[in-house]
């Protein structure tokens, strides 16, 4: 399955009382589809999944699948550090009609590479859904090595990798070793263009909540050989992408969305909102970003 160039790891909006705000979620889904998102990942890191109950996760995934209504692919985050639970969740979202699943490396219990492989193999053996292997060692405490990822790519329904290791060297090793029909996505917005330039497919993005179209323009410019334009977009996006991770994700991007009129600043503890200083810094960087994008468009 092809997630396109820009997939969005969607936030979960909350009411003041902490309950999921489904009305705002529907607005965000429509906003993403209209602004450069090729596919949606629901209940990933950006969705504050660690603080959602099992029933909330399932209800929100089902809601998203229904509202998207096959217009673009919906990938359900089902990964957990318990293989049996991950398999159970996979069966549930498969019945909902998910187009694929995202499975993160088991966290906290820190399995070795043989254990990581066995975890993904066990999940793959229970479903025909495409599986996104999600490597994010900064969150999980374990790195899925390039060798393990390459081994996993020999399993028929594992053909998509989300690499958030931050290592272009590791990404290069993966691209060199996996089959041609395996897509490697950056899990870091700032590395989108560098990864595409070495053969990656695109990005599973946080920033695309607010700059999906610009990220598409950057990738399109590179593909069309307009490398100076692509470089200019990358240089404009980089400060914004860094600011969106000045606090734990998704705190900054929720503030960014609030500036576009979406009431989504609420996060669940132990996350807390942005400091006023960081809000001002974001506002300044956003203004500079808009100016740079206008300049790029006027010269291309």
């Amino acid at each position: 399955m092809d997630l396109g160039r820009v997939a969005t790891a969607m936030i979960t909006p909350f009411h003041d009382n902490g309950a999921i705000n489904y009305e705002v979620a529907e607005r965000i889904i429509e906003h993403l589809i209209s602004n450069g998102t090729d596919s949606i990942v629901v209940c990933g890191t950006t969705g504050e999944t660690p603080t959602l109950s099992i029933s909330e996760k399932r209800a929100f995934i089902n809601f998203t699948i229904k509202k998207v209504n096959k217009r673009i692919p919906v990938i359900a985050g089902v990964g957990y550090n318990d293989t049996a639970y991950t398999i159970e969740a996979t069966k549930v979202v498969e019945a909902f009609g998910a187009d694929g699943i995202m499975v993160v490396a088991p966290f906290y219990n820190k399995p070795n590479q043989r254990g990581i492989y066995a975890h993904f193999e066990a999940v793959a053996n229970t479903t025909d859904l495409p599986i996104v292997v999600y490597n994010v060692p900064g969150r999980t405490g374990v790195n899925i090595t390039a060798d393990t990822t390459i081994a996993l790519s020999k399993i028929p329904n594992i053909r998509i990798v989300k690499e958030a290791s931050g290592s272009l060297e590791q990404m290069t090793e993966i691209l060199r070793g996996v089959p041609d029909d395996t897509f490697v996505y950056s899990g870091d917005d700032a590395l989108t263009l560098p990864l595409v330039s070495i053969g990656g497919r695109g990005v599973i993005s946080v920033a695309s909540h607010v700059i999906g179209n610009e990220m598409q323009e950057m990738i399109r410019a590179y593909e069309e050989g307009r490398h100076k334009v692509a470089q200019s977009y990358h240089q404009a996006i980089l400060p914004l992408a860094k600011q969106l991770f000045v606090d734990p994700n998704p705190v900054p991007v929720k503030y960014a969305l609030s500036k576009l009129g979406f009431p989504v600043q609420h996060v669940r503890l132990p996350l807390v909102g942005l400091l006023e200083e960081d809000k001002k810094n974001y506002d300044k960087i956003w203004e500079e970003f808009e100016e740079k994008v206008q300049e790029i468009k006027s010269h291309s």
Side-chain angles (χ1 to χ4, degrees):
M1 185 174 69
D2 186 356
L3 304 185
R5 291 299 194 181
V6 178
T8 299
M10 191 174 74
I11 67 159
T12 304
F14 300 117
H15 287 288
D16 293 353
N17 63 5
I20 295 175
N21 189 330
Y22 285 96
E23 180 181 350
V24 171
E26 183 171 2
R27 288 177 55 201
I28 291 170
I29 289 168
E30 297 306 320
H31 163 74
L32 294 177
I33 292 173
S34 300
N35 289 275
T37 292
D38 294 318
S39 54
I40 287 174
V41 177
V42 59
C43 284
T45 304
T46 311
E48 295 177 70
T49 305
T51 60
L52 299 181
S53 68
I54 292 174
S55 60
E56 284 178 322
K57 291 175 192 174
R58 293 179 179 178
F60 195 54
I61 290 169
N62 194 27
F63 172 85
T64 303
I65 291 168
K66 287 181 176 178
K67 292 300 177 183
V68 171
N69 194 27
K70 297 298 180 183
R71 286 175 289 171
I72 60 175
V74 175
I75 309 303
V78 297
Y80 202 62
N81 62 345
D82 175 5
T83 306
Y85 170 82
T86 304
I87 289 171
E88 177 191 344
T90 297
K91 292 176 179 177
V92 170
V93 302
E94 189 170 20
F96 289 160
D99 297 292
I101 57 172
M102 185 173 73
V103 180
V104 70
F107 48 88
Y108 191 77
N109 36 16
K110 296 181 73 172
N112 60 24
Q113 296 301 306
R114 289 187 297 112
I116 291 171
Y117 180 91
H119 174 78
F120 281 95
E121 181 184 42
V123 176
N125 285 339
T126 66
T127 183
D128 292 325
L129 288 176
I131 296 173
V132 180
V133 174
Y134 181 18
N135 184 34
V136 56
R139 293 271 186 172
T140 64
V142 294
N143 178 47
I144 306 175
T145 65
D147 286 343
T148 299
T149 301
I150 292 165
L152 286 170
S153 71
K154 294 177 172 62
I155 297 173
N157 55 337
I158 297 182
R159 287 290 184 272
I160 307 171
V161 178
K162 179 183 178 182
E163 255 297 320
S165 63
S167 170
L168 278 173
E169 180 180 344
Q170 179 159 303
M171 294 176 192
T172 302
E173 291 176 12
I174 291 169
L175 286 163
R176 187 172 55 196
V178 297
D180 291 340
D181 62 350
T182 300
F183 293 139
V184 178
Y185 288 84
S186 174
D188 299 293
D189 286 295
L191 292 180
T192 303
L193 184 60
L195 177 61
V196 169
S197 74
I198 61 171
R201 179 63 177 151
V203 62
I204 298 179
S205 174
V206 175
S208 55
H209 281 91
V210 292
I211 58 168
N213 288 327
E214 289 80 3
M215 297 189 80
Q216 289 281 11
E217 285 295 326
M218 176 180 69
I219 296 171
R220 188 178 300 114
Y222 179 82
E223 289 179 329
E224 293 174 353
R226 296 179 289 120
H227 293 165
K228 287 290 186 182
V229 174
Q231 291 165 10
S232 296
Y233 270 112
H234 173 70
Q235 291 161 9
I237 287 170
L238 186 59
L240 185 67
K242 289 175 65 176
Q243 191 64 26
L244 287 174
F245 288 89
V246 70
D247 252 24
N249 181 38
V251 175
V253 77
K254 281 194 160 183
Y255 173 73
L257 271 171
S258 76
K259 299 290 288 185
L260 300 183
F262 295 95
V264 295
Q265 285 199 61
H266 293 291
V267 290
R268 285 185 175 177
L269 287 171
L271 296 182
V272 292
L274 277 182
L275 294 171
E276 288 302 317
E277 179 183 355
D278 290 323
K279 291 179 180 179
K280 290 177 182 177
N281 287 339
Y282 174 83
D283 293 346
K284 179 175 181 293
I285 290 171
W286 177 254
E287 289 177 7
E288 292 171 352
F289 170 78
E290 289 188 307
E291 290 173 3
K292 290 176 182 177
V293 167
Q294 287 303 315
E295 183 179 341
I296 293 168
K297 290 180 177 179
S298 67
H299 290 89
S300 61

